[in-house]
Amino acid sequence: MADTDAHKDVVRDEPTKSRRTALVLGGGGLAGIGWEVGILHGLAEAGADPTGADLIVGTSAGSVVGAQLTSGLLTLPELYERQLADPEGEVPAGMGPTVLARYLWGVLRSRDAEAYGARMGRLALSTRTEPEEVRRAVFAARLLTHDWPRARRLVVTAVDALTGEFRAFDEESGVPLLDAVGASCAVPGVWPPVTIGGRRFIDGGVRSSTNADLAVGYDTVVIVAPISVGGGPVPSARVQVARLTAAGAHVVLITPDRAARRAFGRNVLDPSRRAPSARAGRAQAVAHAQAVRAVLPG
């Protein structure tokens, strides 16, 4: 996964009170959901809560966390406790060696992100999985509400399975939140693509594990990335941090430390990894609180 120093913060400059803020939540399976919630809960406990951001970008696991955060129905401590509970209704899954080999082959053979997305789309469309409606029911239970937030902008990412084209869904897209999040989490070769408007969509993490470039134009960006690596046409989180910084943003990047990576285990899609990952995230947050406080407005 990440380098040994990948959990260290990337910080640039000092904030002003007028800054617009963005919170970027990356992909990383069920373990990633737990870890992100743990990180956010731990940051809030330490007086460095970034969840009031003007923009929240969610990719895959991050789309679930973003939707839960912006629902306004549960507090961060309650969301954290939810991660520690028995993951009833969550289906264990994993990527076999054949699927992983096709991911690697796609990275090596694709000239750009759309070509890679189309390759992964072909994998997703040709893989026999559980029915789409069964998977949709899982997300119906996982989300706290099926309504887009009104107070803040939530953006959920996905990729067109046929063309590889990147899509960013929000309230104005006309796409139901439930379908947008389901699409963002549709891991190729594991889960079925999600049908939206007659098109089929797959995991937004195919284009980038964070899609942090959607925060361009925001002054302060906090990125919580369970998976930070990239390769070939898929930019790493640090590459996107560099681009945001070059555009004038103040950025903090948080990726898993060694304890968190141990908590993730070998399979981030295993529901049993959710609780230990949440605990690891909460513990890790202390190390990042000062850096986050330094960039938050006010």
Side-chain angles (χ1 to χ4, degrees):
M1 291 183 62
D3 299 331
T4 56
D5 66 344
H7 66 282
K8 295 180 181 178
D9 300 305
V10 176
V11 187
R12 300 291 185 273
D13 303 328
E14 295 296 328
T16 66
K17 292 184 179 181
S18 62
R19 291 189 176 282
R20 291 196 311 155
T21 62
L23 174 61
V24 176
L25 302 169
L30 291 172
I33 292 175
W35 178 77
E36 288 182 359
V37 171
I39 283 284
L40 295 172
H41 178 41
L43 288 174
E45 287 181 312
D49 185 358
T51 62
D54 304 294
L55 168 70
I56 295 181
V57 177
T59 292
S60 200
S63 71
V64 175
V65 178
Q68 292 176 341
L69 280 176
T70 56
S71 72
L73 297 176
L74 292 180
T75 64
L76 268 175
E78 290 169 333
L79 288 174
Y80 177 76
E81 290 300 322
R82 200 169 187 247
Q83 294 304 307
L84 304 184
D86 180 31
E88 182 180 358
E90 295 289 356
V91 181
M95 294 184 191
T98 300
V99 171
L100 290 173
R102 290 190 65 176
Y103 271 63
L104 178 59
W105 180 250
V107 165
L108 295 175
R109 297 288 293 174
S110 300
R111 66 186 181 278
D112 55 33
E114 284 198 2
Y116 178 62
R119 285 181 186 275
M120 293 300 97
R122 289 194 291 273
L123 168 63
L125 293 168
S126 64
T127 302
R128 178 175 295 181
T129 65
E130 67 181 15
E132 186 178 339
E133 59 271 20
V134 173
R135 188 64 180 159
R136 194 174 194 271
V138 171
F139 283 95
R142 187 182 291 176
L143 299 185
L144 302 174
T145 178
H146 298 171
D147 297 324
W148 288 96
R150 296 295 179 92
R152 286 176 292 161
R153 187 178 180 219
L154 171 66
V155 175
V156 173
T157 68
V159 170
D160 189 303
L162 286 178
T163 66
E165 180 184 2
F166 179 63
R167 288 292 304 273
F169 300 118
D170 62 8
E171 182 184 18
E172 295 182 358
S173 67
V175 173
L177 177 64
L178 176 58
D179 293 332
V181 172
S184 192
C185 295
V187 181
V190 178
W191 303 119
V194 171
T195 304
I196 299 174
R199 308 291 298 180
R200 309 293 300 283
F201 288 90
I202 58 174
D203 198 317
V206 167
R207 191 248 190 182
S208 161
S209 65
T210 60
N211 292 298
D213 57 315
L214 293 181
V216 167
Y218 283 76
D219 304 291
T220 296
V221 185
V222 177
I223 304 171
V224 184
I227 298 173
S228 62
V229 296
V234 181
S236 69
R238 288 186 177 273
V239 166
Q240 294 199 321
V241 165
R243 292 171 181 169
L244 286 168
T245 301
H250 306 264
V251 185
V252 175
L253 169 65
I254 302 174
T255 60
D257 62 11
R258 185 174 299 175
R261 295 196 298 271
R262 285 198 299 268
F264 284 12
R266 293 182 178 274
N267 181 13
V268 297
L269 300 178
D270 181 353
S272 71
R273 308 319 302 164
R274 196 176 71 175
S277 298
R279 294 188 181 97
R282 184 183 185 186
Q284 181 185 343
V286 176
H288 306 282
Q290 182 176 355
V292 174
R293 278 197 302 270
V295 300
L296 289 179

